[in-house]
Amino acid sequence: MRLERQGSLFATFSLGKLKVTALSDGYADMRITTLKGMDGALAPPTFLTEAGLTGEKLRLDVNAFLIGTPDGNLLIDNGSGDAWHSTAGRLHDALDEAGIARNDVGAVAITHTHVDHINGLVMTSLKPAFPSASAVYVPEKEIKLFAAESRLARVSGLVRPLKDGQMIGEYVTAEAAYGHEIGHTAFLVESDADRLLVWGDIIHAPAVQFAHPEITWEFDADQDAARSTRLKVLGRTAREQLPVAGAHLAFPGIGHVKLSAEGYAYLPLS
Ligand SMILES: [Zn+2]
């Protein structure tokens, strides 16, 4: 992958025949106690001090990724719209800055149904944000969770259930990565010899969880499954030297996972 173009809210990389654009939705300041230790207790303070997290807040960057293919643009996740922190919800501004019209989004896929991944599907008026999108791919285990989101009613007709292993077009394959949510799904993007794993919420706090992948997140629906999926995915991406794109890695959120003396380390793609 190679960086082609960058602004304050977007960065476009080439990947084989494709263009991958990281889009910043902004950030949210979370309580440090959102991190949980192995037994569900609060994360030991030593982890936080080692990671330089001495303040009261843990900053969570929020990213989405647009996969530009010869067959059209697929948006993976879509930020929080106006439904969450006032410091987030900037995805539509990021698209503007990148010169990509909302009308040029041909389809949307979501990694899971949490507020920071789905609410950018609608505008403040609740009208669809991506008027030309022909489908919203939702992991099949989360179809009910999606349907419960009444503010997304205007896009419910576009929902297509997504199974583990299913392809979206020619270049993107859904891969089950359950744990953080019951249907949490990653997307493997492949073109020629280039690959990228858009991994959603495998990591929430990069400064802590690469070195200590056993640490979980309060909002993991299943803490044990989230932990074992994280360990599996970190192992695989390090072993295969498979670049990753993370919803909560520091913007633009694309880089490599390496084995380190203590667990894993993250090397952003510069
Ligand atoms: Zn998230």
Side-chain angles (χ1 to χ4, degrees):
M1 292 184 75
R2 210 182 60 246
L3 178 65
E4 292 202 334
R5 226 158 54 87
Q6 184 162 19
S8 60
L9 294 174
F10 84 95
T12 299
F13 299 82
S14 58
L15 179 97
K17 291 185 195 55
L18 315 180
K19 306 276 183 221
V20 174
T21 299
L23 298 159
S24 172
D25 192 52
Y27 63 88
D29 283 331
M30 310 293 286
R31 287 170 289 110
I32 281 174
T33 51
T34 311
L35 291 167
K36 300 290 179 190
M38 292 190 71
D39 53 1
L42 300 185
T46 48
F47 290 145
L48 305 179
T49 336
E50 280 169 15
L53 296 171
T54 49
E56 290 194 336
K57 295 289 188 182
L58 181 64
R59 183 153 291 188
L60 187 75
D61 275 15
V62 181
N63 308 311
F65 299 94
L66 184 92
I67 314 300
T69 82
D71 313 319
N73 291 316
L74 172 70
L75 178 61
I76 301 179
D77 289 334
N78 47 80
S80 54
D82 62 357
W84 204 38
H85 294 241
S86 59
T87 49
R90 304 205 59 192
L91 181 101
H92 301 156
D93 298 336
L95 282 167
D96 282 351
E97 196 189 281
I100 298 162
R102 286 187 284 108
N103 250 322
D104 289 338
V105 173
V108 181
I110 61 169
T111 55
H112 63 298
T113 50
H114 290 182
V115 58
D116 48 324
H117 300 261
I118 57 175
N119 276 293
L121 277 169
V122 295
M123 308 300 285
T124 303
S125 62
L126 303 186
K127 284 190 180 149
F130 308 107
S132 304
S134 61
V136 175
Y137 293 96
V138 176
E140 63 174 354
K141 286 175 182 282
E142 296 192 31
I143 292 288
K144 279 189 187 153
L145 292 173
F146 190 94
E149 299 286 339
S150 56
R151 66 192 304 281
L152 302 181
R154 304 273 284 273
V155 297
S156 61
L158 298 176
V159 169
R160 305 283 177 270
L162 191 60
K163 288 187 193 337
D164 179 22
Q166 184 176 327
M167 292 195 76
I168 301 174
E170 212 180 309
Y171 305 95
V172 178
T173 309
E175 293 194 354
Y178 307 150
H180 173 59
E181 193 41 270
I182 53 170
H184 183 268
T185 292
F187 295 90
L188 183 65
V189 183
E190 298 174 283
S191 172
D192 302 328
D194 282 354
R195 303 193 304 158
L196 172 71
L197 186 68
V198 181
W199 76 10
D201 285 26
I202 291 295
I203 293 275
H204 290 92
V208 175
Q209 288 177 301
F210 279 102
H212 300 283
E214 71 278 11
I215 295 292
T216 58
W217 187 244
E218 182 181 335
F219 305 109
D220 289 334
D222 181 333
Q223 307 269 315
D224 290 339
R227 180 187 303 115
S228 69
T229 295
R230 176 166 41 261
L231 285 163
K232 201 172 92 187
V233 173
L234 288 172
R236 174 202 177 188
T237 50
R239 196 171 56 243
E240 296 181 10
Q241 300 179 18
L242 170 59
V244 301
H248 301 302
L249 299 177
F251 177 76
I254 296 181
H256 286 93
V257 179
K258 302 275 182 203
L259 267 172
S260 79
E262 41 159 13
Y264 294 90
Y266 172 63
L267 295 178
L269 203 74
S270 52

